């Protein structure tokens, strides 16, 4: 087969990969399933897809369509060729403002589409929790709906036309057709004509129509995906087969273009009432009266979700509105064209709910504050991955939908059912649509829980059937629910579905095992039940996650690492540059998990494939805070490099970067010669070529005097009789040798503000060792620094640092690396980035604006990735805003792309600059020449200089210059 695949790759304009790494990465989606595909293709053209179809038929294999790969039911896994259209099929093809329609390719991101539509006053309504990375093709395949369905309907309601490629390689356009048009089509001798013949026979049969009406989910349940939507075609004057294809999970045809009906943007003003309840039952009882108030959203999350958010740094900031300890919160949003009208609607809702005496608190959120609550809810599914250990909230019965009238009774019976299984289920999601994402907590590594997985799913399917509900509300059937379709709609209807499937796809090449002739729901699981868990020893301490393997397993596939720069945040800079799944946080975690559990090597890290998947990781740490499951890939990479280099050695270039501090200390003996060699075009070119440094990258120069030397000469002059407190300044290796002036500015500033600054004789931070996987060396310096500072650092004598990547090692890696973990934790508690320290002092009025100039300045600030992940940019913002007439803007820049040594390495230079070009460089180029550019990371300032020829200043230097 490899030779056939090799030949196939020559026929494609796009890409075909059949190496084991890509196959392992694409073996999973966001479900509990794993199937190793034959290959992975990124088609570029329609002809590519036709070629793939022909190959699948000729070679008895299949095609599994995929976009963002966030499916929860296993739709995107299979043993054929995964066809990922997310890389090249990404164009918005046509917008008709008058008819309010848009035509897109399937790889267009939902929120990206709405950003494009907003200036025209239009938007695409269906809105999933994954909307900043999910794609229109996937939404059509799953018939997605999301929070807005109670107002704007589901994806199927919006699909007008689909352009597809059929099983025989012909193109077919499916849109609304009258009976006359269908009769004309049926006369042709084509696969498309045969499809219409069969469908016409089905919907013309009175017996079949009655069977559908009697056994399909109740039509008032608008979230219903159980099987093919044949119920959408019956008793209609015109037939649109695109409605049937919506929710078909790529099992009938391959969609290449999608035309959607749009809506006018919703009313501008919005208010949310976040009702708090002491019981789930009270919350559910409130849904029906709440839905009488023209709601735009009606979302529920329970205590389990809320408790998960406590451990996630990003989400802690979004919990501000939570009052007490609710068992459930119902978030109801109203809108109107004026804020007064919107508030009146909210007050009417509260008055009505209070009459029923159900909620104990009804906080009101206005405008932008609503986004914080919605972000909290949207992160829910990913946050469930933070449950430590092997028991997880499993997606199997999480997609049931019933009518609102049936909701409370259904949940009562559901809860009783769960109690019989000793389950405390998780209640989450779209209460206003009669759908709750209910999840049992199971350990699918154990065969006993795999049995429960089937038993619970079966019993819930029967319960849903009693209420004529939909077993698949919006997440699709996939693998997990497909084998229950016959139970849900009856055998006769199921046979009709099979007839439809094999009319469209006689050879069963399109995503087999989904919807009909289903794969077993308890096979092909991500984990092999009752396996012997590998015992993997690590240098870093991963005990909080119960080991490195479980740290990797925290990734549940939600795909937050695929969001694009326009949606903010930093994760994941390499994916944003390449658009390759291989370069996501998800891929790295999944690849590591796979090799650690399947490798037969003594050192399970010793795989070139792992080296490849971690290669473009910039160790920015964004995943540790932005990933809902807090998967810390930077630490995984550091451990991987350490283990891999045990077997494969350490390159000279790696040593050069890892030991850069020692080299800088040595170079300072001959500072003039060193700086000449690094700045002279000829000599610097030779140095770069010799060590694999990018030719277009400038080399850093040594400061005129080290900060150590400056401090020793100046410390006796640092006398102040009005001291507020004493602080210890960590003289990191970068500030000491390369950015000494910033260190001098920090000392001058702090001393002038009445703080006693002391620098003790300590060693470097170890950041360079950590980034290059030299963990033995990193541990030595960490142990030494902890020993030095453990008797010095207290609440009253904190440790302050200038360079984020250096000082934040005390808070992040040190506690996981050193022997004396108790002392490391105590030091970490009182360690601060210098801006955070000053910001805290501003808050308690130890520092005031009166101490600074009234001069006007405009400043644009770029924050270091580690600050964003482990501290907060707001502190730098507060520092720069201290002078009364300074106007400061934080650039929403993500990662600058430098990442220490990464941007120096010749093979990474282009990616490094691509990352800078995403947001940071354009924002700086647009800034007026008199605008001050500020950045607190040494690498960031270097990258800005190389990428824009602008000099960026540290916030502390700017503030020092502002002193009166």
């Amino acid at each position: 087969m490899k030779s056939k695949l090799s030949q196939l790759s020559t026929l494609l304009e796009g890409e075909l990969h059949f190496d084991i790494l890509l196959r392992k990465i694409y073996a999973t989606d966001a479900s509990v399933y794993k199937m190793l595909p034959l290959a992975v293709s990124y088609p570029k053209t329609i002809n590519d897809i036709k070629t793939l179809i022909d190959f699948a038929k000729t070679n008895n294999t299949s095609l599994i369509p995929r976009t963002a790969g966030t499916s929860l039911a296993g739709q995107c896994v299979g043993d054929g060729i995964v066809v990922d259209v997310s890389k090249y099929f990404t164009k918005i093809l046509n917008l008709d403002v008058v008819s309010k329609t848009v035509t897109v390719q399937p790889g267009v991101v939902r929120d990206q589409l709405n950003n494009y539509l907003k200036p025209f006053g239009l938007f695409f309504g269906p809105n999933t929790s994954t909307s900043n990375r999910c794609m229109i093709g996937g939404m059509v395949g799953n018939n997605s709906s999301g929070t807005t369905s109670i107002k704007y309907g589901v994806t199927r309601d919006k699909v007008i036309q689909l352009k597809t490629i059929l099983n025989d390689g012909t193109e077919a356009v499916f849109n609304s057709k009258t009976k006359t048009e269908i009769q004309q089509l049926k006369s042709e001798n084509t696969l498309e004509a045969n499809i219409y013949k069969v469908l016409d026979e089905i919907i013309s049969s009175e017996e079949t129509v009655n069977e559908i009406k009697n056994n399909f989910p109740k039509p008032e349940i608008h979230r219903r995906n159980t099987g093919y939507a044949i119920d959408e075609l019956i008793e209609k004057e015109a037939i649109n087969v695109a409605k049937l294809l919506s929710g078909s999970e790529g099992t009938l045809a391959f969609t290449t273009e999608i035309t959607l009906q749009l809506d006018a943007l919703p009313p501008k003003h919005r208010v949310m009432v976040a009702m708090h309840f002491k019981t789930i039952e009270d919350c559910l009882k409130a849904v029906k009266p709440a839905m009488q108030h023209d709601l735009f959203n009606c979302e529920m999350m329970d205590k389990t979700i809320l408790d998960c958010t406590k451990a996630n740094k990003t989400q802690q900031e979004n919990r501000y509105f939570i009052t007490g300890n609710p068992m459930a919160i119902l978030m109801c949003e109203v809108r109107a064209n004026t804020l007064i009208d919107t508030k009146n609607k909210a007050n009417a809702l509260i008055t009505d709910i209070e009459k029923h005496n159900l909620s104990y608190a009804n906080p009101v959120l206005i405008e932008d504050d609503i986004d914080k609550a919605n972000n909290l809810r949207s992160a829910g599914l990913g946050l469930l991955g933070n449950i430590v250990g092997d028991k997880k909230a499993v997606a199997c019965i999480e997609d049931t939908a019933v009518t609102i009238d049936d909701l409370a009774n259904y949940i009562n019976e559901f809860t009783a059912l769960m109690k019989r299984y000793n389950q405390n289920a998780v209640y989450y999601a779209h209460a206003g649509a009669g759908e709750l994402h209910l999840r049992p907590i199971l350990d699918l590594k154990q065969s006993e829980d795999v049995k429960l997985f089937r038993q619970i799913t079966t019993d819930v399917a029967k319960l849903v059937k009693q209420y004529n509900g939909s077993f698949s509300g919006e997440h699709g059937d996939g693998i997990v629910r497909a084998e229950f379709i016959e139970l849900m709609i009856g055998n006769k209807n199921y046979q009709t579905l099979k007839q439809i499937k094999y009319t469209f796809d006689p050879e069963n090449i399109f995503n087999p095992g989904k919807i009909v002739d289903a794969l077993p729901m308890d096979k092909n699981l991500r984990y092999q039940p009752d396996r012997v868990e590998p015992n993997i020893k690590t240098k870093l301490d991963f005990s909080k996650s119960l080991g490195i393997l479980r740290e990797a397993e925290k990734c549940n596939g939600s795909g937050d690492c695929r969001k694009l720069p326009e949606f903010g945040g930093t994760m994941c800079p390499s994916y944003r540059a390449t658009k390759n799944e291989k370069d996501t946080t998800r891929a790295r975690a999944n690849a590591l998990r796979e090799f650690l559990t399947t490798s037969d090597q003594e050192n399970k890290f010793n795989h070139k494939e792992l080296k490849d998947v971690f290669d473009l990781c910039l160790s920015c740490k964004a995943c540790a805070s932005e990933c809902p499951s807090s998967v810390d890939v930077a630490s995984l990479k550091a451990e991987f490099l350490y283990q891999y280099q045990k077997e494969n050695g350490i390159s000279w270039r790696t040593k050069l970067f890892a030991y850069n501090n020692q080299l800088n200390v040595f170079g300072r003996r001959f500072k003039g010669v060193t700086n000449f060699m690094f700045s002279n075009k000829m000599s610097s070119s030779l140095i770069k070529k010799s060590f694999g440094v990018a030719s277009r990258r400038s080399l850093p120069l040594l400061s005129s005097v080290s900060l150590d030397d400056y401090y020793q000469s100046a410390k006796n002059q640092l006398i102040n009789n009005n001291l507020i407190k004493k602080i210890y300044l960590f003289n990191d290796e970068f500030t000491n040798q390369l950015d000494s002036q910033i260190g001098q500015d920090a000392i001058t500033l702090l001393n002038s503000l009445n703080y006693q600054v002391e620098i003790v004789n300590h060693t470097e931070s170890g950041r360079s060792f950590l980034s290059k996987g030299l963990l033995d060396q990193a541990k030595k310096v960490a142990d030494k620094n902890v020993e030095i500072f453990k008797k010095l650092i207290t609440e009253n004598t904190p440790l302050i640092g200038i360079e984020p990547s250096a000082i934040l090692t005390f808070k992040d890696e040190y506690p996981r690396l050193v022997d004396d973990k108790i002392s490391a934790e105590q030091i970490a508690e009182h360690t601060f980035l210098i801006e955070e320290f000053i910001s805290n002092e501003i808050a308690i009025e130890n520092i005031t604006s009166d101490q600074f100039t009234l001069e006007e300045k405009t400043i644009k600030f770029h924050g270091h990735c580690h600050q964003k992940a482990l501290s907060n940019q707001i502190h730098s913002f507060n520092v720069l805003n201290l002078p009364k007439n300074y106007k400061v803007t934080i650039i929403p820049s993500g990662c600058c792309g430098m990442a220490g040594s990464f941007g120096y390495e010749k093979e990474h230079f282009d990616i490094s600059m691509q990352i800078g070009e995403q947001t940071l460089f354009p924002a700086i180029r647009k800034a007026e020449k008199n605008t001050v550019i500020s950045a607190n990371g040494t690498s960031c300032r270097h990258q800005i200089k190389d990428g824009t020829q602008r000099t960026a200043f540290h916030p502390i230097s700017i503030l020092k210059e502002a002193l009166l």
Side-chain angles (χ1 to χ4, degrees), residues 391-458:
K391 283 188 173 292
K392 302 292 181 186
V394 175
C396 56
I397 55 171
E398 89 297 345
D399 202 28
T400 62
V402 296
T403 65
I404 293 175
D405 287 340
D406 291 333
L407 184 60
N409 290 335
Y410 167 70
I411 293 299
N412 284 338
E413 288 198 59
F414 175 87
T415 303
L417 190 157
M418 289 294 101
K419 284 182 179 177
R420 293 200 296 271
Y421 286 107
N422 295 316
Q423 286 284 327
N424 292 314
V426 178
Y427 299 86
Y428 165 87
H430 315 292
E435 178 178 22
L436 293 179
H437 294 323
L438 311 159
R439 295 181 173 219
I441 309 296
L442 298 171
D443 176 7
L444 295 186
K445 292 182 179 179
Q446 302 300 321
S447 57
E448 286 303 309
D449 275 20
V450 173
K451 290 177 185 175
L452 283 176
F453 179 52
R454 172 173 284 280
Q455 291 167 2
I456 290 171
T457 307
T458 302

Side-chain angles (χ1 to χ4, degrees), residues 791-857:
K791 294 180 181 177
L792 301 176
I793 304 307
T794 67
E795 182 178 359
N796 296 320
T797 55
L799 182 63
I800 310 302
I802 295 169
E803 169 55 35
S805 66
I807 190 62
L808 293 174
T809 57
F810 281 87
K811 298 179 80 71
D812 189 25
E813 288 94 351
Y814 278 22
R816 292 185 283 168
L817 197 57
V818 301
D819 294 325
D820 188 355
K821 287 181 168 45
I822 293 174
S823 294
E825 293 282 3
Q826 289 172 346
I827 294 169
E829 188 178 351
H830 305 300
T831 296
F832 302 95
L833 190 61
I834 189 167
E835 296 106 293
E836 183 175 3
F837 170 75
I838 293 176
S839 179
N840 292 341
E841 294 296 293
I842 294 169
I844 58 176
E845 299 184 351
N846 281 342
I847 303 173
T848 67
S849 296
D850 295 338
Q851 296 166 284
F852 297 92
T853 182
L854 293 176
E855 180 187 356
E856 293 184 359
K857 275 189 182 178

Side-chain angles (χ1 to χ4, degrees), residues 61 76 84 100 204 353 363 381 385 538-539 572 705 800 865 883:
T61 188
C76 293
D84 186 345
K100 297 181 181 177
S204 297
I353 293 300
L381 290 175
T538 58
K539 194 72 175 179
C572 177
V705 62
I800 310 302
C865 290

Side-chain angles (χ1 to χ4, degrees), residues 111-162:
D111 283 357
Q112 197 174 32
L113 173 62
N114 277 349
N115 284 349
Y116 169 81
L117 295 171
K118 190 174 182 179
F120 301 97
L122 301 170
F123 85 124
F124 174 60
N127 178 27
T128 69
S129 64
T130 58
S131 62
N132 62 7
R133 68 264 188 202
C134 79
M135 297 174 179
I136 301 300
M139 294 185 74
V140 171
N142 280 349
N143 185 32
S144 300
S145 46
T147 60
T148 58
S149 69
I150 59 175
K151 192 70 177 177
Y152 294 105
V154 300
T155 299
R156 181 182 292 127
D157 300 329
K158 305 301 180 184
V159 173
I160 296 173
Q161 177 176 290
L162 297 178

Side-chain angles (χ1 to χ4, degrees), residues 691-735:
F691 290 100
V693 173
S695 61
R696 289 174 286 167
R697 179 65 71 189
S698 66
L699 297 177
L701 304 180
L702 295 170
S703 298
S704 58
V705 62
S706 72
L707 185 59
D708 255 341
D709 290 344
Y710 168 81
Y711 177 74
Q712 293 305 319
S713 65
K715 64 181 179 180
N716 292 331
Q717 283 77 50
L718 300 174
I719 298 171
N720 193 318
N721 296 321
N722 300 308
L723 292 177
I724 296 172
K725 66 176 66 171
K726 176 180 177 179
I727 63 108
Y728 287 92
L729 182 65
F730 184 74
N731 183 14
D732 68 82
E733 56 271 30
F734 309 104
T735 304

Side-chain angles (χ1 to χ4, degrees), residues 258-323:
I258 301 160
T259 301
L260 301 167
Q261 184 66 59
L262 305 172
D263 288 289
L265 285 170
K268 179 181 178 181
H269 295 283
R270 54 194 179 128
V271 172
M272 175 182 284
V273 180
M275 305 172 195
H276 289 44
F277 301 90
K278 293 179 180 178
T279 68
I280 297 292
E281 186 176 8
D282 284 347
C283 179
L284 295 172
K285 286 180 180 177
V287 172
K288 188 171 182 179
M291 285 295 292
Q292 305 304 311
H293 288 264
D294 190 29
L295 300 182
F296 280 71
N297 286 325
C298 183
E299 301 295 309
M300 171 189 175
M301 57 181 170
D302 75 351
K303 188 176 186 299
T304 303
I305 295 290
L306 291 170
D307 287 349
C308 283
T309 64
K310 291 178 181 178
N312 183 275
K313 183 178 182 299
T314 302
Q315 295 308 321
Q316 284 176 11
E317 300 170 12
N318 295 330
R319 289 175 52 88
Y320 77 99
F321 67 95
I322 296 172
T323 304

